[in-house]
């Protein structure tokens, strides 16, 4: 293969400037992992538009030395998961808020705060590990930056069946906040947990969550990214999925000048399941909306199933990006891989950019993907209107049904209902 | 009740004139039938009345109880009491049949200033109507028209008609694709709605539907105009002699 | 050297094949009679070589060998200077050793072509033998060899052929008959001399000189190729065809094809390629440009069967090809059909620029990679005009240790309103050592257009194979049959005679892939 392209001066300068603006945490059990991440970041440099996986999303505001300010949205809506009994862990502009959080003890869980974890911890062998593995074959410099520079986060060990979900609530209070959070979730064999996430987090928000699933473990993840308009976020989920384990993740994105959600799922065991889904709705009328899902699912085990279901509804010049890959390694026979990405463009200015990939090195597999883009179906719209449903309501109904396949990936009916309510409210305001 | 005067319609995208001056009045409580050969403009008339895009009205008017339909959005026409049973009912994947019906019923009630029906009450109403039309509960749960057979789709149209209680019903080729039993079921559904106040406009190519839905007046349409109007016997004449003779006689 | 002496040339009259029903018996029979690479002989003909390597002097030499005017020499030199600044692209999923561009011959021509022979007896018999092996019938051989007066005695099948042997066009058939219709079909070097106004107007306007590394190289050193001009409102009276053959060792082949379909014209163009077995990889970097004016229609079909290298991956052609059609005119229509079975490395993306309103582009492809072959191929559909339509049907088959990638772009520009694209990419895997990959790029920038992409990957169906075998077919026959069925939609898009050849190739290419 060709020698790696020499790093451009710009890339090196940007990386140096970003690092100079940071105060890197010192000491503690994460020190070796942080040093390793820093070295990797310096070798690869922060991303630029010239990188293959940043072709459709400009990373400049994510890599700049300082965060651009983002107005705080005064949210009139009740908390999205307010009706669900859950354990709340609150971060304000990226800093753990003990007073606002619940007591961190719950049967089947061990929760500690990254910032106070000390020198010895069960998470020592895990911190930065899945992130480092997730750098091959595609570099994810912002994740390496996260491992090197994260200032807070939670370390969750799941030892049994947990009675209620854990919610990570991210409040954005300061217009100039620039937060980096790193979470670990280690789920013991046969244990089971649901993690909820909600809120914008900060003006600029970089999160990474490493999820290690033991055999027959299950992980349910439902995330609602806050509806602040000016915020910019890059999120990473790295998962290692053992035999017969189940990983399911769903994300709802409403508003946001820039959102890049990366999911890197490594199915290492046999008979495992990995689903990742997303619904994004954006109206770029007054503030830009750019939403990017970049998903990489690797099948190394046999008899595994993976699904990627991504739906985007775009309005007034909004941009939706989907880059998804199913990689089936040699020997990963009986793989069932599925991927769908669809965009509904509500007007002529919005755009959908997609790169749905399959890379397959085993023969006894069933893999497929589909991608479509288009406007609302005029015939269906007319049919509804001919039955007396007003235009906006008819559009909302069709948009919701379009998003339905993604929402259907949420197993818990109560949570799915909370997501649908939030979407309906957004559609009522925007259509 | 429904008054169409000198209606001229062309295709929006092309210079093709479809309706060339249609005059028609349907009185309350009456059933009018429009028959005509393919391409005579029958279906276009139903689409233009219900407000489907793609057509341009160049002249004329169409009023329902005095209100100009042609100025209204499709949903306003529905709220005004107009209902079109589609020749090809549209499939809407992802939208449940029940959700669809309830949204439609409540939207119309809201438009008329009536209170919305509660979920329980609605369910009762639907079940009762569905039973009459031999529509099983499974069909109500499925997405709108998706995977429905031709007969199921048409029965679903009549179910919507029954639930929405329109003032004026237009049935566009409702008999197409139906076997005799399905047609009887659909006709029974329609006849049940004949209450002496509601108007009907039945568009059909064949006379056979009119055996089941007895019309008061029959119109023959050809080349964008109503060319002949008569009683039920006119339909029988078409059945026996085809359109050619009637059209020749008109010219 | 392998030199099969008893290969039957395909018959003159193509038997009526039922391609539509999937696969005919004949395919299965042919499979049994074929060697592993039918075209793997070389012909020991005395050649004129230019010195190895690339420089401005070589570029000038190629230009002067073709008696080119000054403007053409300058055009080539411009391209050469640009090429020096370009880097070889490495984004494709292809793994091959560094190419030494100075260790190639850039020009080779059979010595016997220096003077035009008077009769068949004067033609170098070895050249004739070459054509026979290519399956070109005798009378056409005369035409190709340039025997004067041969055109009058030719009858029967009407396919005009331009053959490019190593770097030089050695003959074009049916020129007189085509001329009656106003069609110009000749070598590009002849066109540069005889029709400079057309060449000047269109050359490099679809694939610019500096388009990409390989196209730029081609612009500098192309030695010959075919030229077609179809005048307004003319349906070309016969199919046009080019046979490309690399014969000389260490010789790069860089042919350039330019097709201009004027308003309201139609032409179907066929392209076939073969090369001898060589232990050393050989470079092929061609450019095809098609210009379509209002209401023009062009069908371009390729059966690419360059030598793929041996089972260990030794030798074979490195095939880097830039093909692009520019639907400049309203309602113009282009259809690319390709059957890619040969080459060690394939890097090829026949594309459509849908500029004219209501223009249409289609791409039908079968790409087969067996043993150590690597293919990275697909298309680009760039929708610029209103109401434009495109359709992509790609069938990739991987066997042995081969890697096969579909790479494509569908781009709907903001002004390409009410446009449509439908893409179907299917991959079939035979054996656990190969790879099948799909890399589509979809860019939609308006909402009245609809884009649909579907792709599947699966293995050859065991039940189907078992069913065939229970009816008496051996495993290879069964695979050939099932694979031909898998490719049916693309085979149907080929002209009948090509379809037959393609079916046979599908079978041959997969030999040794099972068992």
């Amino acid at each position: 293969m060709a020698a790696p392209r020499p790093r451009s001066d710009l890339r090196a300068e940007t990386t140096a400037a970003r690092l100079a603006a940071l105060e890197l945490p010192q000491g503690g059990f994460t020190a070796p992992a942080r040093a390793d991440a820093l070295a990797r970041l310096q070798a690869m440099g922060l991303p630029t538009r010239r990188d293959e996986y940043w072709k459709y999303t400009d990373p400049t505001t994510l890599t700049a030395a300082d965060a651009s300010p983002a107005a705080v949205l005064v949210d009139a809506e009740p908390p999205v998961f307010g009706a669900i009994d859950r354990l709340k862990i609150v971060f304000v502009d990226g800093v753990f808020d003990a007073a606002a959080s619940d007591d961190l003890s719950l049967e089947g869980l061990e929760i500690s705060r990254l910032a106070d974890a000390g020198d010895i911890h069960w998470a020592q062998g895990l911190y930065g590990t899945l992130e480092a593995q997730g750098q091959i074959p595609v570099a994810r410099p912002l994740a390496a930056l996260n491992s090197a520079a994260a200032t807070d986060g939670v370390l969750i060990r799941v030892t049994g069946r947990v009675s209620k979900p854990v919610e990570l609530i991210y409040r954005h209070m300061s217009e100039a906040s620039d937060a980096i959070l790193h979470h670990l979730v280690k789920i013991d064999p046969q244990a089971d947990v649901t993690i909820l996430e909600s809120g914008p987090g900060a003006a600029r928000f970089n999160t990474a969550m490493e999820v290690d699933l033991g055999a027959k473990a299950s992980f349910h993840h439902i995330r609602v990214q806050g509806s602040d308009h000016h915020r910019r976020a890059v999120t990473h989920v790295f998962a290692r999925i053992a035999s017969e384990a189940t990983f399911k993740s769903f994300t709802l994105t409403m508003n946001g000048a820039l959102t890049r959600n990366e999911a890197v799922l490594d199915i290492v065991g046999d008979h495992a399941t990995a689903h990742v889904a997303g619904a994004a709705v954006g109206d770029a009328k007054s503030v830009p909306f750019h939403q990017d899902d970049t998903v990489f699912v690797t099948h190394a085990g046999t008899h595994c199933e993976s699904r990627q279901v991504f739906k985007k509804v775009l309005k007034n010049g909004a941009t939706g990006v989907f880059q998804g890959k199913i990689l089936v390694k040699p020997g990963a026979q009986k793989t069932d891989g599925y991927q769908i990405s669809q965009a509904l463009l509500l007007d002529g200015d919005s755009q959908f950019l997609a790169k749905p990939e399959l890379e397959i090195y085993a023969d006894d597999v069933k893999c497929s993907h589909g991608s479509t883009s288009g406007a609302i179906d005029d015939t269906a719209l007319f049919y509804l209107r001919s039955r007396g449903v007003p235009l906006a309501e008819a559009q909302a109904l069709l948009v919701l049904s379009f998003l339905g396949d993604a929402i259907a990936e949420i197993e818990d009916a109560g949570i799915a209902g909370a997501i649908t309510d939030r979407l309906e409210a957004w559609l009522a305001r925007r259509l | 009740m429904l008054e169409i005067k000198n209606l001229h319609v062309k295709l929006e995208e092309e210079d093709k004139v479809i309706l060339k001056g249609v005059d028609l009045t349907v009185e309350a409580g009456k059933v009018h039938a429009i028959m005509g050969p393919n391409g005579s403009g029958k279906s276009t008339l139903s689409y233009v009345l219900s407000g489907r895009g793609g057509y341009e009205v160049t002249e004329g008017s169409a009023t329902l109880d005095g209100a100009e339909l042609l100025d209204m959005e499709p949903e306003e026409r529905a709220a005004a009491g107009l209902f079109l049973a589609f020749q090809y009912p549209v499939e809407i994947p992802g939208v449940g049949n029940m959700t669809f019906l309830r949204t439609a019923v409540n939207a119309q009630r809201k438009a008329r200033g009536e209170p919305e029906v509660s979920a329980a009450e609605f369910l009762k109403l639907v079940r009762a109507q569905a039973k009459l039309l031999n529509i099983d509960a499974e069909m109500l749960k499925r997405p709108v028209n998706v995977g429905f057979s031709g007969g199921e789709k048409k029965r679903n149209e009549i179910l919507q008609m029954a639930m929405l209680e329109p003032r004026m019903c237009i049935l566009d080729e409702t008999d197409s694709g139906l076997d005799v039993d399905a047609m009887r079921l659909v006709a029974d559904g329609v006849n049940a709605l004949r209450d002496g106040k509601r108007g009907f406009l039945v568009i059909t190519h064949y006379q056979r539907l009119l055996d089941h839905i007895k019309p008061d007046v029959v119109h023959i349409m050809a080349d964008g105009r109503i060319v002949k109007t008569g009683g039920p016997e006119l339909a029988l004449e078409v059945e026996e002699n085809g359109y050619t003779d009637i059209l020749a006689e008109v010219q | 050297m392998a030199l099969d002496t008893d290969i039957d040339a395909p018959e003159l009259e193509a038997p009526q094949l039922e391609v539509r029903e999937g696969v005919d018996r004949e395919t299965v029979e042919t499979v049994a009679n074929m060697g592993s690479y039918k075209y793997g002989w070389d012909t020991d003909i005395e050649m004129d070589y230019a010195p190895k390597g690339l420089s401005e002097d070589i570029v000038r030499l190629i230009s002067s060998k073709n008696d080119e005017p000054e403007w053409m020499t300058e055009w080539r030199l411009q391209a050469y200077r640009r090429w020096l600044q370009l880097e070889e692209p490495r984004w494709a999923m292809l793994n091959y050793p560094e190419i030494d561009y100075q260790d190639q011959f850039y020009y080779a021509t059979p010595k016997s072509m220096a003077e035009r022979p008077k009769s068949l007896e004067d033609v170098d018999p070895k050249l004739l033998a070459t054509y026979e092996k290519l399956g070109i019938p005798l009378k056409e051989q005369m035409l190709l060899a340039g025997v004067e007066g041969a055109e009058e005695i030719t009858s029967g099948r009407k396919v005009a052929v331009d053959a490019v042997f190593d770097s030089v066009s050695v003959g074009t058939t049916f020129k007189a008959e085509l001329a009656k219709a106003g069609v110009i079909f000749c070598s590009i070097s002849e066109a540069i001399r005889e029709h400079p106004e057309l060449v000047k107007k269109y050359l490099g306007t679809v694939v610019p000189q500096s388009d990409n590394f390989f196209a730029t190289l081609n612009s500098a050193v192309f030695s010959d190729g075919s030229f077609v001009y179809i005048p307004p409102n003319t349906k070309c009276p016969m199919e046009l065809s080019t046979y490309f053959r690399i014969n000389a060792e260490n010789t790069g082949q860089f042919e350039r094809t330019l097709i201009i379909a004027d308003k309201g014209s139609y032409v179907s163009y066929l392209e076939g390629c073969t090369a001898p077995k060589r232990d050393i990889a050989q470079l092929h970097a061609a450019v095809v440009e098609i210009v379509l004016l209002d209401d023009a229609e062009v069908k371009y079909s390729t059966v690419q069967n360059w030598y793929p290298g041996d089972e260990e991956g030794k030798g074979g052609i490195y095939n880097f090809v830039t093909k692009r059609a520019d639907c400049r005119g309203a309602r113009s229509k282009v259809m690319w059909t390709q059957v890619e079975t040969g080459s060690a490395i394939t890097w090829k993306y026949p594309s459509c620029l849908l500029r004219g309103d209501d223009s249409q582009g289609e791409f039908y492809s079968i790409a087969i990679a067996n043993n150590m072959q690597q293919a990275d191929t697909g298309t680009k559909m760039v929708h610029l005009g209103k109401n434009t339509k495109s359709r992509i049907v790609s069938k990739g088959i991987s066997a042995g240790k081969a890697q096969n990638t579909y790479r494509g772009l569908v781009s709907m520009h903001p002004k390409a309103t009410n446009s449509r694209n439908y893409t179907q990419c299917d991959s079939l895997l035979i054996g656990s050592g190969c790879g099948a990959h799909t890399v589509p790029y979809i860019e939609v920038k308006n909402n009245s257009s609809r884009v649909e992409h579907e792709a599947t990957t699966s293995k050859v169906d065991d039940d189907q194979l078992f069913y065939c075998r229970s009816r008496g077919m051996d495993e290879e026959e069964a695979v050939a049959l099932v694979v031909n069925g898998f490719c049916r939609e693309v085979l149907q898009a080929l002209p009948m005679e090509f379809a037959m050849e393609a079916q046979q190739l599908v079978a041959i290419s997969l030999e040794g892939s099972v068992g």
Side-chain angles (χ1 to χ4, degrees), chain A residues 67-87:
Chain A
S68 359
V72 175
L73 183 83
V74 183
D75 204 342
E77 288 182 287
V80 56
F81 299 122
I84 291 155
D85 180 25
R86 76 262 194 233
L87 185 148

Side-chain angles (χ1 to χ4, degrees), chain C residues 190-446:
Chain C
E190 190 181 330
I192 291 166
R193 291 189 302 267
E194 308 292 328
H195 308 284
E197 68 297 339
L198 284 172
V199 176
K200 262 188 183 168
K201 187 170 174 188
Y202 293 108
L203 186 74
T205 64
V206 183
V207 179
Q209 264 173 328
S210 56
D211 189 79
N212 67 69
F213 180 84
F214 297 110
T216 307
L217 175 62
N218 174 287
S219 299
V221 303
F222 75 85
S223 24
D224 217 330
S226 305
F227 175 85
V228 176
Y229 172 76
I230 316 286
N233 305 315
T234 304
K235 182 177 190 312
C236 186
M238 65 192 81
E239 295 192 315
L240 304 183
S241 174
T242 299
Y243 274 93
F244 294 109
R245 171 140 185 105
I246 297 180
N247 202 56
E249 264 189 283
N250 284 339
T251 306
Q253 180 148 330
F254 306 92
E255 74 277 349
R256 184 143 194 140
T257 301
L258 175 59
I259 299 175
I260 302 149
D262 214 320
K263 290 180 181 173
S265 67
Y266 169 86
V267 64
S268 167
Y269 193 91
L270 319 172
E271 177 195 88
C273 341
T274 60
K277 287 183 175 176
R278 301 275 187 207
D279 290 344
I280 301 164
Q282 279 180 288
L283 180 63
H284 174 252
V287 171
V288 175
E289 297 181 271
I290 305 180
V291 178
L292 296 100
L293 303 183
D294 288 356
D295 301 294
E297 182 175 351
V298 175
K299 286 186 180 168
Y300 195 107
S301 312
T302 303
V303 173
Q304 184 267 105
N305 188 26
W306 298 119
Y307 177 53
D310 69 8
E311 286 76 4
E312 272 78 51
K314 220 170 179 193
I317 303 294
Y318 288 4
N319 192 30
F320 300 98
V321 177
T322 305
K323 291 184 169 178
R324 195 173 300 153
D326 186 352
C327 288
R328 272 174 215 184
R331 299 167 302 279
S332 55
K333 183 178 176 186
V334 68
M335 179 168 146
W336 294 104
T337 308
Q338 62 171 28
V339 179
E340 301 282 318
T341 61
S343 297
I345 299 287
T346 300
W347 181 100
K348 183 182 169 191
Y349 316 93
S351 304
C352 303
L353 300 176
L354 303 172
R355 242 186 256 281
D357 290 350
D358 301 288
S359 60
Q360 291 184 44
E362 293 178 12
F363 174 76
Y364 294 90
S365 170
I366 297 169
I368 300 181
N370 193 3
N371 297 318
M372 298 294 284
Q373 279 178 280
Q374 299 174 59
D376 194 300
T377 184
T379 184
K380 290 182 188 179
M381 293 290 175
V382 181
H383 292 253
L384 296 157
K386 292 182 182 60
N387 311 318
T388 47
K389 287 192 177 66
S390 66
R391 183 179 174 85
I392 299 170
V393 178
S394 163
K395 305 283 179 178
I397 296 119
S398 314
K401 291 175 181 161
Q403 301 300 328
N404 199 339
T405 303
Y406 167 82
R407 184 182 302 274
L409 167 73
V410 173
S411 172
M412 294 282 178
H413 282 247
K415 285 180 181 161
T417 50
N418 292 311
S419 297
R420 295 281 176 274
N421 162 265
Y422 175 74
T423 302
Q424 174 74 48
C425 289
D426 296 316
S427 302
L428 197 65
L429 293 144
I430 304 172
S432 56
C434 55
H437 320 303
T438 313
V439 189
Y441 293 77
I442 301 160
E443 303 176 1
V444 187
K445 299 185 177 173
N446 75 67

Side-chain angles (χ1 to χ4, degrees), chain A residues 377 379-393 397-398 400-402, chain B residues 50-52 73-75 78 83-84 86 92 94-95 100 103-104 107-108 145 157 160:
Chain A
D377 179 356
T379 328
L381 199 60
F382 171 66
Y383 192 56
L384 280 161
R385 294 176 75 190
S386 79
R387 297 297 176 255
V389 183
L391 181 61
E393 209 178 317
L397 199 60
L398 292 174
L400 267 181
S401 76
F402 169 78
Chain B
S50 58
R52 188 181 183 135
E73 294 297 327
E75 61 268 29
F83 181 92
L84 170 65
F86 283 48
I92 313 182
V95 176
F100 173 82
T103 311
Q108 292 208 19
N145 293 327
E157 292 292 287
Q160 292 173 27

Side-chain angles (χ1 to χ4, degrees), chain A residues 52 56 345 347-348 351-365 367-373 375, chain C residues 93 403 429 431-432 435-447 450-459:
Chain A
E52 175 64 20
Y56 294 140
L345 306 181
D347 54 60
Q351 53 180 333
F352 178 54
L353 308 166
K355 190 186 173 200
E357 288 179 86
L358 301 174
E359 187 174 343
I360 292 162
Y361 297 95
D363 65 330
D364 194 2
V365 302
C367 289
S368 64
H369 69 198
S371 182
T372 65
S373 173
Chain C
M93 290 176 79
Q403 301 300 328
L429 293 144
S432 56
H437 320 303
T438 313
V439 189
Y441 293 77
I442 301 160
E443 303 176 1
V444 187
K445 299 185 177 173
N446 75 67
N447 81 325
R450 176 137 194 94
V451 177
E452 285 176 78
H453 171 100
E454 284 176 46
T456 64
T457 303
S458 53
K459 69 185 288 225

Side-chain angles (χ1 to χ4, degrees), chain A residues 23 41 53-54 70 110 113 243 279 326 381 410 424:
Chain A
E23 208 174 305
L41 173 64
Y53 286 91
W54 289 92
E110 284 172 31
R113 184 184 171 190
S243 289
I326 302 173
L381 199 60
I410 304 170
E424 278 176 344

